[in-house]
Amino acid sequence: MKKIIYNKFFICFFALIGIVSCTDLDETTYTELSKSNFYNNKLEIIQATLRPFTHMQAWLAFTGQNGYYYHNELSADQVAWPQKGRHAYDNGDHIRQHYHTWTTEESRLLNTWSLMWTGVGYVNAAIEDIQQVDPEAAGITQEELESFVAESKVLRAYHYMKIMDLWGNVPIVTQVGMPENPETQSREAVFAFVEQELLENVEKLQPLSPQLLGRISRAVGYAMLSELYLNAEVWSGEARWADCIAYSDKVINGDGGALAGSMMLDQDPLGPYNNTNENSPENIFQFPFSRQNDFGYSWASFYMGFSNMRDALDVTYSGNNAFVVIPSAFDAYQENDIRKQEWFLFGPQYKYGTTEPILGTEEYRDKPLVYVNNIRRNTEGQTGEGSMTDGEENSGARFHKYRSGTKDDENYLENDYVIYRLTEMYFNKAEALIRQNGGAATSEAVALINESKSRYFSEEDWPSEMYTTSSLTMDELLAERGREFIFEGKRRTDLIRFGKFTTGAWWDKTPDGDDHLTIYPIPYRQVQTNPNLEQNPGY
């Protein structure tokens, strides 16, 4: 199935709930449909299955909402949203994220809670409706119907896994509107629910293929289990390293299918992220955005600079000049690392294809814009480390991992947002092997990480950059994981698993020494609304 067709499924189902109208389609007007006259055929069942995906991008991807991504990156050691002169103080929201001084009344956290639980509601509704379909009347087999239900249940498990990651102790709700005031369950109970849902349904899923682009395939289910078991010690109190290895292997060996015939690492450092990344052989699960079908993927709001940067990239979008790479994270890359050269905007900025400088608009108005690896008031002569309130318009290296292409590119802004890719399974397995071995690297773990890392160094440099069983320590594994997955929304979870989230120090951040911060507070408004919700410890 081509991505253009897949995205028409998205657009049509948006129309069903009255958000947008269908375009370039000849079907009956979807705004007149209801459950009683929907679910008549396989296409309509697929549309119902996909509806929760259209909502999930609002809280998972960095497309404009303040959701899971915002909290999992801005609280960690790689990305920050500092105040830059008159811009971005924003009630101190981003500063509190960086310093881990958030409260129970954070508006962005409340928004995240609402978005994610609304997503659970959408999945529950889809499951209830699809389970009532008569497969014969809809022209599908019973096995196909069970596969659609399994797909939705695994997607629900993913929602709960991420909700559990942020808040730990939460209710478990599997029916729309029931119960009215659900009770808080322990994190261990939520973990057990997620595990059961995945194990009971993963083998009912279809194998990953181009036709399953962006949907919950068997490979996606295996990847979720790999992540679940990698974090089991934190989330359930019991380490599950052997299970993590087993499900990582299922993805690596292609047992769950693949987009390109077999699973393999993409040798192009931009391949998993570019505007044709539906063809990347290592991608497992992604949002299949499509600008051509009015569902385009945009990282502009958080990651793009002001309108002057349009000329630098020859694009039509601009943003809030918000997220920056913190200095210690940029320093973690060697100068000869191809990732440092390809995944960031740094140094002097020029109009696309020329040597004509891009000019600043704030502190550097009418002067060449040069991104620097510090966050301080250089125009005022400030020296030293700087701080979250000392930024300027050029502070910090910038995001360049996803490339939209120029505005005349036929695939302009057709990038899919990647949720799981094969490299993560390599890292998950390697980490589990090392932890099983008491924290000492095994030769198999070293081989896995080297296979990933070798893509980013020249043949001449590689001998001095490759890992050995003595150099691949746990601290180095965390550092390399950070270099590999920067901007991918995973860093807070990794720091917690390595015991560094509250004990580690990084740019303008001292250790907390208080482990209650490894989960967020239940938003105050929710606790007040539902008397059966229990606030998390320490809040």
Side-chain angles (χ1 to χ4, degrees):
M1 183 185 303
K2 294 181 180 179
K3 187 165 70 172
I4 187 169
I5 301 299
Y6 182 87
N7 280 279
K8 285 186 178 180
F9 290 163
F10 272 33
I11 294 164
C12 284
F13 211 83
F14 268 149
L16 173 61
I17 61 171
I19 294 178
V20 298
S21 59
C22 286
T23 57
D24 299 324
L25 298 173
D26 297 322
E27 286 88 0
T28 303
T29 304
Y30 282 84
T31 48
E32 297 176 358
L33 293 176
S34 65
K35 286 197 293 186
S36 62
N37 62 357
F38 201 59
Y39 305 107
N40 294 314
N41 53 55
K42 185 174 182 178
L43 174 63
E44 291 175 354
I45 296 170
I46 291 175
Q47 289 169 359
T49 305
L50 293 179
R51 171 63 188 98
F53 287 90
T54 66
H55 176 79
M56 193 167 80
Q57 58 84 25
W59 60 260
L60 184 62
F62 43 80
T63 50
Q65 296 282 5
N66 304 128
Y68 176 88
Y69 184 95
Y70 174 95
H71 292 88
N72 228 39
E73 287 289 10
L74 264 64
S75 62
D77 64 349
Q78 294 186 311
V79 177
W81 190 344
Q83 182 179 355
K84 306 180 191 74
R86 63 193 179 100
H87 296 284
Y89 177 70
D90 294 345
N91 196 38
D93 293 358
H94 327 308
I95 295 169
R96 290 192 298 278
Q97 281 298 308
H98 188 79
Y99 293 151
H100 297 183
T101 56
W102 48 74
T103 73
T104 62
E105 299 188 63
E106 300 292 335
S107 61
R108 295 172 193 268
L109 189 64
L110 175 62
N111 190 34
T112 302
W113 175 278
S114 299
L115 284 167
M116 295 178 78
W117 282 105
T118 298
V120 171
Y122 281 136
V123 185
N124 283 340
I127 293 170
E128 290 179 11
D129 291 345
I130 296 170
Q131 283 178 326
Q132 297 175 25
V133 169
D134 178 354
E136 184 177 354
I140 61 174
T141 66
Q142 181 65 34
E143 183 180 18
E144 286 178 304
L145 181 65
E146 290 176 0
S147 180
F148 287 127
V149 173
E151 189 171 346
S152 293
K153 287 186 174 181
V154 171
L155 181 61
R156 181 172 63 190
Y158 183 78
H159 280 70
Y160 270 105
M161 185 164 67
K162 295 306 178 183
I163 288 171
M164 172 179 63
D165 184 20
L166 289 185
W167 288 287
N169 313 295
V170 295
I172 299 173
V173 180
T174 59
Q175 294 179 280
V176 177
M178 297 179 60
E180 184 177 351
N181 291 309
E183 295 182 353
T184 298
Q185 303 292 322
S186 69
R187 195 182 220 180
E188 293 79 8
V190 181
F191 179 95
F193 170 75
V194 172
E195 180 184 24
Q196 180 179 350
E197 289 282 278
L198 290 174
L199 293 178
E200 288 181 354
N201 291 285
V202 68
E203 299 302 334
K204 299 176 184 177
L205 299 171
Q206 301 175 61
L208 177 60
S209 68
Q211 289 71 36
L212 267 289
L213 178 73
R215 288 176 56 189
I216 301 290
S217 67
R218 196 174 303 153
V220 173
Y222 291 155
M224 289 182 192
L225 282 161
S226 172
E227 180 183 5
L228 183 74
Y229 292 132
L230 182 70
N231 293 284
E233 190 169 29
V234 173
W235 292 342
S236 75
E238 178 187 357
R240 302 284 293 273
W241 309 124
D243 290 323
C244 174
I245 292 167
Y247 282 98
S248 299
D249 273 337
K250 284 181 177 292
V251 180
I252 293 169
N253 296 335
D255 295 347
L259 283 177
S262 59
M263 294 301 304
M264 63 184 74
L265 297 184
D266 198 322
Q267 298 304 307
D268 180 354
L270 296 174
Y273 322 104
N274 65 25
N275 61 17
T276 57
N277 62 343
E278 70 272 17
N279 299 317
S280 176
E282 79 163 71
N283 285 349
I284 300 167
F285 187 30
Q286 59 210 78
F287 285 122
F289 288 96
S290 176
R291 177 191 60 84
Q292 297 174 22
N293 288 280
D294 300 320
F295 198 62
Y297 175 41
S298 174
W299 47 89
S301 180
F302 284 160
Y303 275 119
M304 183 63 176
F306 294 136
S307 58
N308 54 342
M309 286 303 293
R310 292 175 182 168
D311 290 337
L313 302 178
D314 192 22
V315 296
T316 58
Y317 52 87
S318 61
N320 298 327
N321 198 31
F323 289 2
V324 309
V325 181
I326 69 174
S328 52
F330 194 60
D331 284 339
Y333 292 86
Q334 299 285 349
E335 291 301 321
N336 59 348
D337 191 329
I338 292 172
R339 292 172 295 193
K340 190 171 190 177
Q341 302 163 18
E342 294 288 350
W343 290 356
F344 305 93
L345 291 172
F346 187 69
Q349 300 301 299
Y350 302 101
K351 291 187 177 181
Y352 186 81
T354 76
T355 57
E356 182 180 348
I358 296 292
L359 302 181
T361 60
E362 296 289 326
E363 292 87 358
Y364 295 89
R365 179 176 292 277
D366 299 328
K367 297 177 182 178
L369 181 66
V370 180
Y371 288 131
V372 296
N373 191 34
N374 56 66
I375 302 173
R376 64 189 183 212
R377 303 295 297 175
N378 291 309
T379 56
E380 299 172 7
Q382 184 179 9
T383 59
E385 183 180 71
S387 78
M388 282 290 290
T389 57
D390 291 325
E392 296 184 326
E393 66 177 305
N394 67 336
S395 295
R398 302 306 173 90
F399 171 89
H400 205 38
K401 201 170 189 178
Y402 281 77
R403 306 284 185 87
S404 66
T406 59
K407 58 181 179 286
D408 59 351
D409 188 322
E410 64 176 343
N411 293 304
Y412 177 57
L413 272 176
E414 289 288 301
N415 312 65
D416 296 344
Y417 175 74
V418 180
I419 302 168
Y420 286 122
R421 55 190 178 95
L422 180 63
T423 304
E424 186 172 356
M425 302 300 105
Y426 276 51
F427 273 79
N428 290 3
K429 181 180 179 181
E431 182 181 330
L433 287 167
I434 294 172
R435 291 186 184 276
Q436 269 191 334
N437 198 42
T442 66
S443 57
E444 185 178 8
V446 169
L448 287 164
I449 303 303
N450 276 339
E451 189 172 349
S452 168
K453 185 181 178 182
S454 64
R455 296 175 289 179
Y456 309 120
F457 294 89
S458 68
E459 290 185 14
E460 181 181 46
D461 289 343
W462 178 238
S464 63
E465 299 293 340
M466 67 171 59
Y467 288 119
T468 65
T469 53
S470 59
S471 64
L472 188 58
T473 63
M474 288 296 290
D475 284 347
E476 181 57 30
L477 179 62
L478 177 62
E480 182 61 19
R481 191 173 180 106
R483 288 186 285 265
E484 178 62 29
F485 297 104
I486 192 169
F487 306 126
E488 295 189 37
K490 304 177 187 292
R491 190 59 174 172
R492 167 188 160 275
T493 309
D494 290 343
L495 290 176
I496 291 171
R497 192 175 62 256
F498 278 79
K500 301 292 187 181
F501 186 69
T502 59
T503 65
W506 47 88
W507 173 83
D508 196 30
K509 174 68 177 64
T510 56
D512 308 306
D514 193 337
D515 284 345
H516 86 274
L517 295 167
T518 58
I519 54 175
Y520 281 98
I522 307 297
Y524 175 78
R525 187 181 300 177
Q526 295 299 320
V527 174
Q528 291 298 301
T529 301
N530 178 0
N532 293 325
L533 276 181
E534 298 176 18
Q535 184 55 271
N536 281 325
Y539 295 107

